[in-house]
Amino acid sequence: MGRSGREAVVRGRRLYEAAQAVAEDHARAVEAVRAALAPIRDGLAERELEAIPVARLKEVTEGRLRLGEVERGGFRTVGQVLDAGPYRLRQIPGVGQQTAAQTVAAARQIADAVRETIAVHIDVDRPDPRTTALVVALHVLVEAGPEAGRALDAARALSGRLGPLIEAARPVSSRLRLLVAGRPGRERALGAAAEIRVVAEQAESEGVPELLAQASVDLLRGPSSELAAMVDFELRSAEYYSLIAEFSDRRPDPAAAEGFLPDEVAERVRGQALDDTLRRVSLRGYQAFGARFMLAQRRVIVGDEMGLGKTIQAIAALAHLAAEGRSHFMVVCPPGVLINWTREIEGRSRLRVTALHGPDRQEAFADWKERGGVGVTTFDALRGFALPGDGEPAMLVVDEAHYVKNPKARRSLAVREWAERCERVVFLTGTPMENRVSEFRSLVGMLRPGLADAIGEDRAKVAGSKAFRKAVAPVYLRRNQLDVLAELPALQHTDEWEELSARDEDAYRKAVLDGNFMAMRRAAYAHPEESAKLNRLREIVAEAAEGGLKVIVFSTFRDVLAVVRDALAHTVVLGPLSGSVPPAGRQRLVDEFAAVSGHAVLLAQIEAGGVGLNMQAASVVILCEPQVKPTVEQQAVARAHRMGQVRPVQVHRLLATGGVDERMVRILANKARLFDAYARRSAVAESTPDAVDVSDTALARRIVEDEQARLGALRGGR
């Protein structure tokens, strides 16, 4: 085995050196990020500590610390105490060694807590040298992508195996060394050389040398310029912020990231493997948990708040099953997001995707049946396809699953029939329940009828929201933005209350007299030349234009959007994006909106624009009127304020005093509390049963009658 043994050791050593190089290149890139991140975090911490009064130190010591002399010595903030240290504090009359030491120790506890909660935000409109340096350093790792992570894992595994073997095989390098090693030494050396050959051949068959070589090239390649790095950050900010969170050691609370699931469910999910070989992007920790939840629990609802990446979690689960050899998958979604789904699957995975939509959908369906991959279709189109055999597709993903909450609707029946034949089913929805617990229970019933029976609506009302959430834990996962996305820019809500003009009031009174709820809701725009709401909308848009900000204007009503378009004659206005615009047209409008340089306005019907489309280009959202369902507003805002947004988002809701808007806002607040209690983790008190039973039709009738009574216009008198 002389020559062959030496050749095996040489191959192994080359592979080992390549693995070591990747580890070193990655460590160097990580160190560059940490070095750029440290001064930013230190500066943020210093500013926060300078704003915390010394009196807060008493809370750390439960009131035992005496701070009177320290404050009289001129120390006003925790930051000042830390800068001074115990020696300078002891110079203050009346402050002894023990008090000084305890004061500084308490200040350090607060400083540690502050550093744990610091969130780094990068202002793309006003970059400074420090944040630019951070983006440049991060760019290397983002550009290297998940392939670098796989290469690093392979490098570590190879280093761990080959290092000891190469050392044991050293005598094989020359005949003399092998001779003097003695019989036991020779046997160990030759055995190690044989094992090196096996390891090297396996690595070569799996393409590991090429993976390592490419990773080293990627990790050593920097951006062409600072500008190129900043542009890439705007395009892929979610990936940059994910790395910032990782290297800041600022990860979300584990319980929150796991949706506060019971320990036994969470443990089962953690043990689920997740193959990433067919996935092109990295996942955040909570996203990986979500994908594992889909796989481990098999038939589930993922109700993450809008903007947390439910789509990529589903794609990760599909990619895992494909890597295991499964061939067919189906995604069902509203038509407005079909193109978005096909883009996401193509861009974020290596899975074949086929759109099953339009006049040729039956031919496309036949092609999907024959060749496999991910079929993406709409609720209506699904009803026209032949039902699959049991066990195929390997996973059915239903996006915006609240569309099938009515068990008697035709699209709900079609989804149920497909779900019964699929081993794994994933319902994605940020709004699993809106007015009634029964709606949420209906979704659970499609997945696990037995569990739905166990959480009957009456029992849910009696037991309360905590018991309800515990009961549905095996099938339901929800995380909220504030719990897992520390870096999401600020979201500022402002209710813009306006007094109706005289002509607005006339239009409103006529609508009330006619009992026309929809006319009441848009009466404020009936006379554009004197519309108080429209005047405020113009002002908001003008302010956004001065800052070069993009604006989305949402309304339920197309005629209101037409009025807005006419009022913004000197502005770049796109849309309206409405239900009558085909899916390709909707996505094209969003793309055109994002491509406009500087200020622009996109008009959108809230039901069409508030579902599925990503509108991160906007940083101002205007809601022309309050909505009947709180989740409709939440979805619309989340189109702009979601993972990947790089600017703060301002939300302006235009409201008129004294009429339908005031009444709707009060009722919406009750509905939101119900949603919080049953579908989110929330400290809100249990909702009252009468709030559960409010339907949209009953709500409209009640508001009309109340307004008729208020205005003295109820026919027949009261």
Side-chain angles (χ1 to χ4, degrees), residues 291-629:
R292 289 186 169 95
F293 180 80
M294 298 174 190
L295 295 166
Q297 298 300 100
R298 294 178 178 267
R299 303 174 69 84
V300 300
I301 300 171
V302 174
D304 285 349
E305 195 170 24
M306 301 295 291
L308 293 183
K310 293 186 290 292
T311 300
I312 184 55
Q313 294 175 57
I315 291 172
L318 297 174
H320 170 89
L321 293 172
E324 286 190 336
R326 304 304 296 269
S327 60
H328 288 71
F329 313 95
M330 180 67 77
V331 173
V332 186
C333 62
V337 298
L338 185 142
I339 291 177
N340 187 62
W341 264 100
T342 59
R343 283 184 176 185
E344 291 288 291
I345 294 169
E346 289 172 344
R348 297 174 181 269
S349 76
R350 293 179 174 82
L351 303 179
R352 181 177 183 271
V353 60
T354 305
L356 311 178
H357 185 62
D360 298 328
R361 57 182 175 271
Q362 289 297 342
E363 291 83 351
F365 181 75
D367 180 72
W368 169 77
K369 288 280 289 183
E370 179 182 350
R371 301 174 62 188
V374 185
V376 183
T377 192
T378 64
F379 293 105
D380 290 339
L382 185 71
R383 292 189 286 113
F385 298 142
L387 290 172
D390 289 342
E392 288 290 349
M395 178 176 279
L396 172 68
V397 177
V398 181
D399 192 18
E400 306 292 352
H402 48 279
Y403 276 44
V404 295
K405 65 191 176 187
N406 179 357
K408 297 180 181 179
R410 288 188 296 176
R411 61 188 173 197
S412 302
L413 295 173
V415 167
R416 180 185 292 275
E417 288 180 324
W418 275 72
E420 288 172 351
R421 288 164 168 78
C422 297
E423 180 183 356
R424 288 183 172 86
V425 182
V426 176
F427 285 175
L428 304 177
T429 174
T431 57
M433 186 213 62
E434 293 169 322
N435 293 336
R436 298 180 179 85
V437 175
S438 62
E439 295 172 357
F440 180 63
R441 182 172 171 264
S442 175
L443 297 183
V444 176
M446 289 194 195
L447 302 170
R448 303 191 188 188
L451 180 58
D453 293 340
I455 55 165
E457 183 173 4
D458 293 338
R459 188 176 304 178
K461 290 181 185 178
V462 173
S465 61
K466 290 182 180 178
F468 178 81
R469 287 193 300 271
K470 183 176 180 181
V472 301
V475 73
Y476 178 57
L477 176 68
R478 180 177 178 86
R479 281 78 56 89
N480 299 324
Q481 284 185 349
L482 290 178
D483 289 330
V484 296
L485 279 188
E487 81 288 348
L488 198 66
L491 178 64
Q492 180 181 344
H493 279 272
T494 303
D495 280 348
E496 307 277 356
W497 289 98
E498 304 294 330
E499 295 281 350
L500 291 177
S501 69
R503 297 201 69 186
D504 289 342
E505 189 69 41
D506 289 343
Y508 182 72
R509 284 178 175 273
K510 182 180 185 306
V512 172
L513 185 64
D514 293 342
N516 189 332
F517 179 64
M518 292 303 184
M520 289 164 59
R521 293 181 63 199
R522 60 185 189 270
Y525 301 93
H527 301 285
E529 65 280 2
E530 297 182 26
S531 168
K533 280 192 179 184
L534 196 59
N535 286 339
R536 180 59 186 138
L537 185 147
R538 287 194 195 96
E539 293 171 357
I540 296 169
V541 171
E543 291 171 7
E546 289 178 4
L549 304 178
K550 288 186 169 67
V551 182
I552 303 176
V553 177
F554 285 114
S555 176
T556 301
F557 308 104
R558 293 191 65 175
D559 55 353
V560 169
L561 294 175
V563 167
V564 172
R565 172 180 279 282
D566 292 341
L568 301 177
H570 302 295
T571 302
V572 177
V573 180
L574 290 84
L577 194 161
S578 66
S580 63
V581 178
R586 297 186 200 183
Q587 188 63 54
R588 186 164 55 251
L589 273 174
V590 173
D591 291 344
E592 290 174 3
F593 178 61
V596 173
S597 177
H599 173 67
V601 176
L602 176 63
L603 306 179
Q605 273 191 293
I606 198 163
E607 293 280 7
V611 176
L613 296 169
N614 298 334
M615 303 175 181
Q616 296 102 313
S619 45
V620 178
V621 176
I622 300 175
L623 304 170
C624 288
E625 69 282 321
Q627 300 303 307
V628 176
K629 300 175 183 177

Side-chain angles (χ1 to χ4, degrees), residues 160-408:
R161 289 188 69 185
L162 288 174
L165 290 175
I166 290 171
E167 181 62 28
R170 285 184 65 186
V172 177
S173 62
S174 75
R175 292 180 181 178
L176 180 59
R177 283 186 178 179
L178 199 58
L179 184 63
V180 301
R183 183 173 180 180
R186 281 196 299 274
E187 290 178 353
R188 279 196 304 272
L190 293 172
E195 193 170 346
I196 288 171
R197 179 185 291 108
V198 172
V199 172
E201 288 175 351
Q202 180 181 353
E204 289 165 3
S205 68
E206 295 173 355
V208 173
E210 293 82 2
L211 180 67
L212 298 178
Q214 185 62 53
S216 280
V217 169
D218 292 338
L219 290 167
L220 291 172
R221 182 194 299 127
S224 56
S225 66
E226 291 181 352
L227 178 61
M230 291 302 293
V231 168
D232 190 63
F233 169 76
E234 287 208 54
L235 295 173
R236 297 191 284 179
S237 63
E239 295 176 48
Y240 283 79
Y241 275 127
S242 178
L243 289 173
I244 289 174
E246 178 182 341
F247 295 130
S248 298
D249 297 322
R250 189 185 188 282
R251 295 175 176 82
D253 172 47
E258 294 177 355
F260 300 95
L261 293 176
D263 289 342
E264 64 273 14
V265 177
E267 190 62 35
R268 186 182 314 122
V269 174
R270 291 185 210 114
Q272 168 68 49
L274 185 61
D275 193 309
D276 65 354
T277 54
L278 297 180
R279 181 168 23 96
R280 298 183 193 275
V281 295
S282 301
L283 301 179
R284 295 195 175 201
Y286 77 87
Q287 292 174 329
F289 185 87
R292 289 186 169 95
F293 180 80
M294 298 174 190
L295 295 166
Q297 298 300 100
R298 294 178 178 267
R299 303 174 69 84
V300 300
I301 300 171
V302 174
D304 285 349
E305 195 170 24
M306 301 295 291
L308 293 183
K310 293 186 290 292
T311 300
I312 184 55
Q313 294 175 57
I315 291 172
L318 297 174
H320 170 89
L321 293 172
E324 286 190 336
R326 304 304 296 269
S327 60
H328 288 71
F329 313 95
M330 180 67 77
V331 173
V332 186
C333 62
V337 298
L338 185 142
I339 291 177
N340 187 62
W341 264 100
T342 59
R343 283 184 176 185
E344 291 288 291
I345 294 169
E346 289 172 344
R348 297 174 181 269
S349 76
R350 293 179 174 82
L351 303 179
R352 181 177 183 271
V353 60
T354 305
L356 311 178
H357 185 62
D360 298 328
R361 57 182 175 271
Q362 289 297 342
E363 291 83 351
F365 181 75
D367 180 72
W368 169 77
K369 288 280 289 183
E370 179 182 350
R371 301 174 62 188
V374 185
V376 183
T377 192
T378 64
F379 293 105
D380 290 339
L382 185 71
R383 292 189 286 113
F385 298 142
L387 290 172
D390 289 342
E392 288 290 349
M395 178 176 279
L396 172 68
V397 177
V398 181
D399 192 18
E400 306 292 352
H402 48 279
Y403 276 44
V404 295
K405 65 191 176 187
N406 179 357
K408 297 180 181 179

